Amino acid sequence: MRRRVRCAAGNRRPSAAMGGTSMSENKTAQEARIADRGRYADGRTRQIAVADDDGTPLLIIEPITVGALEWQPADNSADSPIRLSRFAYLHRDGADMVLSTPRSRVTAVIRDERVAAFIAGLGVARRPTTLAALSRLSAEACLRLADALRAVHLVTGAEPDCEEDDTIPQTWEFHDLLLHERSRRPKVGAINEPPRFGIVPEHQEPEWDLQAGELALPAVDLRAVAAADPPYGQVVLSRESHRDYSGPELALKQLAVLLARSLGPIERDALPGTGTDIMWSRPYASAGALFETDVVVIAHRVTGLAQGAYLYRPGAHALRPLEGDPASIDGLLFDASQATAAGIQRPQALLVMAARFPDLAIKYDGIAYSLMLKNAGWIQAAIQGAATAMGLGSVPIGTGDAVAFELATGLDRYRHGSTGEIAISVPRVQPS
Ligand SMILES: Cc1cc2nc3c(=O)[nH]c(=O)nc-3n(C[C@H](O)[C@H](O)[C@H](O)COP(=O)(O)O)c2cc1C
């Protein structure tokens, strides 16, 4: 694909070879206009401050990671048409109104509401100086704002092949790039800081006791189950997704074995220095060993279990019935059928991953959501591996509905929300 030569990130001046004399002069003038630039002793940019003509602050651009602010002068002339980047977003952060973007590791703190009017005017392509009347800023202040915002990709050129469209494939939607960029950056601060937000996570030690109203599942001897399993290599080779739900009911015992072997607590030797002999892990890895993700069984055709939603409690090996809207239960099963092109047949059971998001977020600043999705993938893999070993059918699903899950289960989607699903079935013909 054709790519234009662009100035590398950082605050290097463009060389004459990159743009010819007139463009270099242009860029030098732009750099000069971004005059009020905080610098480190070694000359790297610490922040860009844009001031009004009388020196009062309009906008402060700061890095959101430790280190220098990355910026680059724009390619074209100061008053050429610009528009807001399709990735820029305005939001409140504490007492500040800030303009942010996943395109660069910066945040722009708005110090004067006329700047918000200037930004609002950039929903369509405009020359910066034409925004003076709308924003009640001077033409010079508009040029300074435009230069600073362009330097950190908060605004972009308005030509059809502008730098932004050239650099970032159209397939990147705003929310995808935001999640990607924000969760793939060096963490600010140490990993094992004290919990953030003052939230105390739920017990990480499994809770062994059966609570009132819970259904004890048939006991499972995991060692005996493992001894009778096909070899691991055979399980890996025969793993595949099944989307035919026309087979017999799933027996309660089968469900109990599937849940115990893919989610049940596993005793391990404790790590040195923890002051204890044993620790509890699971058959799958989980970021920070927080195991914030639970599994909710949406039962459809499970022998001896009424259609409904049940939270699996691994320590007690029990199902806790959840109170929800019956129509939404059927909605979840219907959605699973739709997602797997299974026509009107619902899967025998749908296992939904439900994450206690705050428990993970208190430890992992900024990357918690992406870790939660990775953890959901680990659980899907553990369940599909176990289902394969048992001769059950399974298919992971990537299109769940968190609102429907909240209605179906009564679980608060901000504290215990769905992050992934896997449909379980009993094949008509056992896989060979
Ligand atoms: C994250 C994820 C989401 C998926 N979502 C769906 C889905 O919504 N519908 C579906 O029929 N299959 C879904 N699948 C299953 C894939 O289509 C399947 O794994 C792929 O076609 C390879 O086939 P195999 O699993 O039989 O080897 C998903 C798989 C993963 C890992």
Side-chain angles (χ1 to χ4, degrees), residues 72-146:
Q72 55 191 151
D75 281 349
N76 41 17
S77 81
D79 201 26
S80 57
I82 54 170
R83 63 183 168 179
L84 197 63
S85 159
R86 70 186 179 95
F87 298 105
Y89 61 103
L90 193 63
H91 65 124
R92 183 178 64 78
D93 185 4
D96 289 327
M97 184 63 93
V98 296
L99 186 66
S100 302
T101 174
R103 284 217 54 199
S104 47
R105 293 171 174 184
V106 303
T107 192
V109 182
I110 294 172
R111 287 291 174 79
D112 187 308
E113 61 191 22
R114 289 173 298 168
V115 176
F118 177 88
I119 291 164
L122 290 174
V124 293
R126 285 194 160 116
R127 292 184 186 281
T129 50
T130 64
L131 286 161
L134 177 76
S135 64
R136 293 179 286 114
L137 290 162
S138 70
E140 291 71 27
C142 288
L143 284 173
R144 285 195 294 275
L145 277 174

Side-chain angles (χ1 to χ4, degrees), residues 239-241 243 339-341 380 384 395-399:
R239 183 214 61 80
E240 61 181 349
S241 297
R243 301 174 180 82
T340 53
Q380 284 176 326
Q384 189 163 54
V395 53
I397 296 177
T399 56

Side-chain angles (χ1 to χ4, degrees), residues 11 50 60 83 204 208 213 225 251-252 285 298 312 314 348 377 408 421:
N11 53 7
V50 182
I60 311 282
R83 63 183 168 179
Q204 285 157 40
W208 308 103
V225 167
L252 189 62
I298 306 294
Y312 180 58
Q348 278 83 339
E421 292 79 16

Side-chain angles (χ1 to χ4, degrees), residues 348-371:
Q348 278 83 339
L350 181 69
L351 304 187
V352 185
M353 281 103 248
R356 286 171 269 109
F357 177 69
D359 286 4
L360 189 65
I362 54 172
K363 182 165 181 181
Y364 292 109
D365 179 358
I367 59 171
Y369 192 75
S370 72
L371 292 179

Side-chain angles (χ1 to χ4, degrees), residues 95-333:
D96 289 327
M97 184 63 93
V98 296
L99 186 66
S100 302
T101 174
R103 284 217 54 199
S104 47
R105 293 171 174 184
V106 303
T107 192
V109 182
I110 294 172
R111 287 291 174 79
D112 187 308
E113 61 191 22
R114 289 173 298 168
V115 176
F118 177 88
I119 291 164
L122 290 174
V124 293
R126 285 194 160 116
R127 292 184 186 281
T129 50
T130 64
L131 286 161
L134 177 76
S135 64
R136 293 179 286 114
L137 290 162
S138 70
E140 291 71 27
C142 288
L143 284 173
R144 285 195 294 275
L145 277 174
D147 280 342
L149 293 171
R150 260 196 302 198
V152 292
H153 301 301
L154 281 161
V155 301
T156 176
E159 62 276 18
D161 64 342
C162 71
E163 178 274 336
E164 180 161 288
D165 292 345
D166 197 29
T167 306
I168 303 186
Q170 285 289 310
T171 42
W172 277 106
E173 291 190 46
F174 164 73
H175 62 281
D176 286 328
L177 192 65
L178 183 60
L179 176 62
H180 176 66
E181 289 291 333
R182 288 292 180 271
S183 57
R184 303 296 302 170
R185 68 185 165 98
K187 187 179 184 301
V188 179
I191 283 282
N192 280 320
E193 292 164 338
R196 304 185 307 141
F197 307 121
I199 293 176
V200 178
E202 274 190 27
H203 258 307
Q204 285 157 40
E205 180 90 346
E207 292 173 354
W208 308 103
D209 296 335
L210 192 68
Q211 307 288 330
E214 290 183 346
L215 170 73
L217 286 167
V220 178
D221 179 347
L222 283 179
R223 289 189 188 284
V225 167
D229 264 347
Y232 173 76
Q234 190 58 48
V235 172
V236 171
L237 285 178
S238 54
R239 183 214 61 80
E240 61 181 349
S241 297
H242 287 259
R243 301 174 180 82
D244 177 359
Y245 310 134
S246 63
E249 284 190 345
L250 179 67
L252 189 62
K253 176 77 181 182
Q254 285 176 307
L255 178 64
V257 174
L258 180 67
L259 293 172
R261 63 184 298 164
S262 48
L263 306 169
I266 295 178
E267 189 180 312
R268 298 252 176 85
D269 290 339
L271 298 173
T274 50
T276 167
D277 292 338
I278 61 157
M279 59 178 272
W280 292 97
S281 191
R282 303 289 184 96
Y284 52 89
S286 191
L290 292 168
F291 298 104
E292 81 295 336
T293 299
D294 295 319
V295 166
V296 170
V297 178
I298 306 294
H300 173 48
R301 287 198 297 125
V302 181
T303 315
L305 199 59
Q307 176 162 314
Y310 305 85
L311 175 72
Y312 180 58
R313 296 215 309 109
H317 187 49
L319 292 178
R320 175 182 296 168
L322 298 172
E323 300 278 328
D325 165 34
S328 296
I329 300 266
D330 192 56
L332 291 178
L333 292 163

